[in-house]
């Protein structure tokens, strides 16, 4: 039995406050008079001062199930996502077993539906077992119940250009997209952090910017040649932005994402030797951070994606060289993005630009039709309520994730997710998960 909710005094996309009525999973009224006329029986949410956004959509989440349920499950990761304002996430394929068959992607899809906190859209592997040697069952995954449209060997690069070309050719037939983890493996053997001044001082093996840029340059040329869609995961360098700008001007069908951590954290943090700051691609320089923020504002980078990468204490809290790369991101991303000011004008946060980078565009890239739609009459009520005046202090014990590798622990960040609605049902109310 679907309930109805009246969001009283809310500001859709930061515009003039009004009342929004949600019933039977959709938005049924979006003005004070209309909502008042139909509000009988509705639960009233006092939303004065709050901004209403289309529910956020994450192109890059690691949910770890099947295989590493000690680090995260589809349910725990879904809850973290809902608390972060998400209504849909794309679950990466580097699970155990790898999501390279219809069976595994359908399993992840069904676990997501059972949890019911966000729509979990499985990403299929490009190559069998992420091995890079032969294509995975792309067609079977596309026609499965999970209807996979995005494929990625994320965690590893599809390094063989012939394999990359074949994958692009294959998915072109159904307008799928290959999401590339751009890392030329021959240039990052044993790499521990960004190759630069800090790595030289610390004596740690470096992961040079050119290892990312070389693959992006190659793949935009391949995608242009094939005429297929390419997506670049976690862009981390200023040079990558220049290549993407060039490719866009040439009409290549390429999109790109940046993580919240690459928008705020730098390689200087490695001086602490705290493995919470070890991530792949690594934290770069302040100049890269500046370039990435500008590229996000300009739209050369299309989307923010979390690369939420939970790891157990055993895998993360050890010597830097042995620690797994990756950090949590789902619950803090909106606040981190707000803290950068990258999507703000003279009048404060540009909520329309934020909705574009964190909801509409990622939904379009992933092919998630019911998501990424602005609140309007008849639209599925996949929505997020944000309090821009509140702050959030990051406490690791308060996370819904099973893991604790949060690089923002102790920081106070702007903004707070107050509520999230998935098809009209609250998954988060008063900042707390409803189940
Ligand atoms: Zn990756």
């Amino acid at each position: 039995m679907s309930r109805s909710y009246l969001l009283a005094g809310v500001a859709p996309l930061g515009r003039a406050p009004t009342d929004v009525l949600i019933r039977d999973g959709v938005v049924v009224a979006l003005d004070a008079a209309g909502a008042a006329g139909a509000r009988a029986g509705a639960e009233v949410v006092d939303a004065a001062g709050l901004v209403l956004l289309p529910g956020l959509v994450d192109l890059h989440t690691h949910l770890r199930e099947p295989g590493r349920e000690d680090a995260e499950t589809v349910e725990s990761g879904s809850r973290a996502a809902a608390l972060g304002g998400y209504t849909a996430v794309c679950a990466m394929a580097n699970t155990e077993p790898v999501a390279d068959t219809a069976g595994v992607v359908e399993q992840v899809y069904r676990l997501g539906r059972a949890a019911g906190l966000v729509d979990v859209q499985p990403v299929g592997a490009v190559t069998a077992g992420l091995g890079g040697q032969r294509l995975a069952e792309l067609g079977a995954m596309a026609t499965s119940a999970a209807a996979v449209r995005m494929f990625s060997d994320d965690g590893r690069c599809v390094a063989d250009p012939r394999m990359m070309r074949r994958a692009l050719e294959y998915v072109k037939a159904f307008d799928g997209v290959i999401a590339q983890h751009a890392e030329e493996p021959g240039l990052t053997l044993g790499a521990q952090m960004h190759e630069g001044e800090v790595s030289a001082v610390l004596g740690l093996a470096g992961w040079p910017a050119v290892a990312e840029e070389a693959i992006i340059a190659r793949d935009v040329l391949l995608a242009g040649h094939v005429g297929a869609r390419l997506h670049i995961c976690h862009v981390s360098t200023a040079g990558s932005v220049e290549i993407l700008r060039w490719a866009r001007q040439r009409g290549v069908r390429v999109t790109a994402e940046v993580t919240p951590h690459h928008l705020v954290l730098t390689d200087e943090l490695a001086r602490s030797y705290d493995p919470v700051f070890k991530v792949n691609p690594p934290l770069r320089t302040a100049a890269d951070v500046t370039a990435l923020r500008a590229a996000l504002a300009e739209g050369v980078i299309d989307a923010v994606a979390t690369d939420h990468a939970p790891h157990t204490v055993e895998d993360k809290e050890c010597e830097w060289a042995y620690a797994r790369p990756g950090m949590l991101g789902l619950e803090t991303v909106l606040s981190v993005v707000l803290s950068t000011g990258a999507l703000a004008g003279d009048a404060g946060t540009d909520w329309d630009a934020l909705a574009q980078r964190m909801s509409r565009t990622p939904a379009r890239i992933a092919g998630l039709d019911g998501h990424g739609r602005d609140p309007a009459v008849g639209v599925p009520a996949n929505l997020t309520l944000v309090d821009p005046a509140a702050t959030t202090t990051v406490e690791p014990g308060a996370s819904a994730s099973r893991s604790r590798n949060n690089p923002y622990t102790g920081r106070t960040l702007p903004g707070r997710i107050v509520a999230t609605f998935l098809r009209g049902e609250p998954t988060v109310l008063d900042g707390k998960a409803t189940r």
Side-chain angles (χ1 to χ4, degrees):
M1 174 62 191
S2 183
R3 285 171 293 177
S4 55
Y5 294 87
L6 180 77
L7 312 180
V10 75
L13 286 305
R15 296 193 281 263
T18 185
D19 292 347
V20 172
L21 186 66
I22 300 166
R23 186 194 296 142
D24 297 329
V26 297
V27 175
V28 294
L30 198 73
D31 62 278
R39 66 188 289 173
E43 187 170 323
V44 178
V45 178
D46 178 8
L50 306 186
V51 173
L52 185 63
L53 296 175
L56 307 184
V57 176
D58 195 15
L59 288 169
H60 194 145
T61 311
H62 296 277
L63 293 177
R64 303 296 187 220
E65 188 175 6
R68 287 306 304 264
E69 291 83 355
D70 52 339
E72 198 77 286
T73 64
V74 169
E75 183 180 342
S76 66
S78 292
R79 189 170 293 113
L83 286 163
Y86 286 94
T87 53
V89 301
C90 297
M92 278 299 171
N94 63 338
T95 47
E96 300 170 17
V98 170
D100 58 0
T101 63
V104 179
V105 295
E106 286 185 345
Q107 179 191 358
V108 172
Y109 178 78
R110 292 204 182 97
L111 287 167
R113 282 285 161 160
L117 291 154
V118 292
D119 283 346
V120 173
Q121 175 58 50
V123 176
V126 177
T127 67
L130 309 179
Q133 299 299 312
R134 59 185 174 84
L135 286 184
E137 297 176 7
L138 307 184
M141 288 189 276
T143 55
S144 73
V148 176
R149 288 293 173 273
M150 179 179 277
F151 299 87
S152 182
D153 277 1
D154 182 62
R156 295 192 195 166
C157 183
V158 180
D160 179 346
R162 195 176 52 132
M163 196 61 58
M164 189 63 183
R165 176 182 178 172
R166 286 184 55 203
L168 287 164
E169 287 171 343
Y170 198 103
V171 301
K172 185 186 176 188
F174 53 88
D175 204 33
V177 59
I178 303 294
Q180 176 68 295
H181 169 116
E183 174 183 357
E184 168 49 57
L187 294 173
T188 60
L189 284 172
Q192 293 291 328
M193 65 172 295
H194 172 64
E195 179 182 297
E197 285 176 33
V198 181
S199 68
V201 168
L202 299 180
L204 291 173
W207 196 133
V210 69
E212 174 174 305
E213 294 155 7
I215 291 293
I216 297 178
R218 182 198 79 177
D219 286 355
V220 296
L221 291 171
L222 277 174
H225 178 70
V226 172
R229 288 169 64 205
L230 169 69
H231 179 72
I232 305 295
C233 299
H234 43 49
V235 171
S236 71
T237 81
S240 296
V241 171
E242 292 310 307
I243 297 163
L244 288 165
R245 184 180 286 112
W246 176 86
R248 290 293 185 82
Q249 287 164 354
R250 303 255 302 192
V252 174
R253 301 172 74 199
V254 60
T255 54
E257 71 190 32
V258 64
T259 71
H261 45 276
H262 287 111
L263 290 171
V264 289
L265 308 178
T266 71
D267 62 340
E268 291 289 337
L269 290 161
R271 292 181 191 275
S272 69
Y273 288 106
D274 184 341
V276 80
F277 299 116
K278 182 174 175 179
V279 65
N280 188 14
L283 301 176
R284 303 288 185 184
T285 68
D288 293 306
V289 167
T290 301
L292 293 169
R293 289 182 181 187
L296 184 67
E298 183 188 345
V300 172
I301 291 177
D302 305 83
V304 175
T306 66
D307 196 4
H308 177 84
H311 288 296
T312 62
V313 167
E314 295 73 37
D315 284 338
K316 197 61 179 171
E317 292 179 19
C318 51
E319 213 177 305
W320 181 284
Y322 300 108
R324 299 271 182 98
M327 40 184 71
L328 302 185
L330 285 168
E331 289 167 90
T332 46
V333 59
L334 186 93
S335 290
V336 171
V337 171
L338 290 176
S339 78
T340 68
L343 299 175
D346 295 338
T349 298
D350 181 346
W351 295 102
D352 192 71
L354 194 129
Q356 190 73 10
R357 303 284 185 271
M358 298 188 69
S359 177
R360 293 183 209 123
T361 299
R364 178 177 54 76
I365 292 169
L368 296 169
D369 292 338
H371 294 271
R373 297 178 66 182
D374 287 356
V377 173
V379 162
N382 296 316
L383 301 166
T384 294
L385 268 179
V386 182
D387 184 350
T391 58
T392 301
T393 299
V394 181
E395 296 169 33
S399 175
S401 172
R402 287 202 171 175
S403 293
R404 292 292 175 261
N405 50 313
N406 191 321
Y408 311 107
T409 297
R411 292 196 190 204
T412 297
L413 298 165
R416 177 171 168 268
I417 302 293
V418 175
T420 308
F421 291 87
L422 178 65
R423 282 181 286 280
E425 290 300 322
T427 54
V428 173
L429 272 181
D430 292 328
K432 295 180 181 64
T434 55
R435 60 178 183 277

